[in-house]
């Protein structure tokens, strides 16, 4: 846990990481590019709580914005901290993509 500007955040502080790009894949998966240059896969189906229920609708999931490095949906009603997305995602490489496909 850490505090910035009187806001308490869960987990460990990750050095100023931001989502730079995102692509929605099948099955609720997101291919994310972070400010570190890394690409990682994030599984939205693992998100818990009623706040994330709308993301089960593919049309809602595909209608995202990246605002100051944070992915948001529904005009900012839903957001996920980039630190959480990074910590809960899996490394992605072109090689891992070819293994998954073939």
């Amino acid at each position: 846990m850490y505090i910035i500007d009187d806001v308490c955040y869960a987990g460990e502080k990750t050095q100023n990481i931001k989502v730079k790009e995102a692509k929605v894949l099948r099955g609720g998966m997101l291919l994310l590019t972070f400010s570190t240059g890394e690409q990682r896969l994030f599984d939205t189906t693992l998100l818990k709580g009623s706040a994330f229920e709308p993301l089960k609708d593919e049309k809602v999931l595909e209608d995202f914005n990246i605002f100051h490095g944070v992915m948001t949906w529904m005009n900012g009603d839903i957001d996920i901290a980039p630190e959480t997305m990074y910590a809960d995602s899996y490394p992605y490489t072109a090689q891992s993509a070819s293994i998954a496909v073939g």
Side-chain angles (χ1 to χ4, degrees), residues 36-72:
T36 61
E38 294 173 84
Q39 286 193 309
R40 298 175 67 88
L41 293 171
F42 182 82
D43 187 351
T44 63
T45 66
L46 299 178
L47 294 169
K48 303 291 183 211
S50 60
F52 299 112
E53 283 295 313
L55 297 182
K56 291 181 179 178
D57 181 334
E58 249 182 73
K59 289 184 181 192
V60 173
L61 186 62
E62 291 173 351
D63 189 21
F64 66 87
N65 286 306
I66 299 174
F67 183 73
H68 295 289
V70 178
M71 282 195 76
T72 67

Side-chain angles (χ1 to χ4, degrees), residues 7-101:
V7 176
C8 183
Y9 298 89
E12 298 298 317
K13 184 176 179 184
T14 306
Q15 191 169 357
N16 201 22
I17 197 157
K18 295 180 180 184
V19 175
K20 290 294 197 181
E21 295 178 21
K23 180 178 179 182
V24 177
L25 306 175
R26 289 184 290 170
M29 297 296 290
L30 300 174
L31 176 58
L32 305 173
T33 303
F34 289 93
S35 54
T36 61
E38 294 173 84
Q39 286 193 309
R40 298 175 67 88
L41 293 171
F42 182 82
D43 187 351
T44 63
T45 66
L46 299 178
L47 294 169
K48 303 291 183 211
S50 60
F52 299 112
E53 283 295 313
L55 297 182
K56 291 181 179 178
D57 181 334
E58 249 182 73
K59 289 184 181 192
V60 173
L61 186 62
E62 291 173 351
D63 189 21
F64 66 87
N65 286 306
I66 299 174
F67 183 73
H68 295 289
V70 178
M71 282 195 76
T72 67
W73 294 265
M74 299 176 64
N75 294 318
D77 287 346
I78 301 173
D79 64 43
I80 305 172
E83 299 87 359
T84 298
M85 295 186 97
Y86 185 87
D88 294 347
S89 62
Y90 306 93
Y92 172 87
T93 63
Q95 181 180 13
S96 64
S98 65
I99 292 170
V101 171

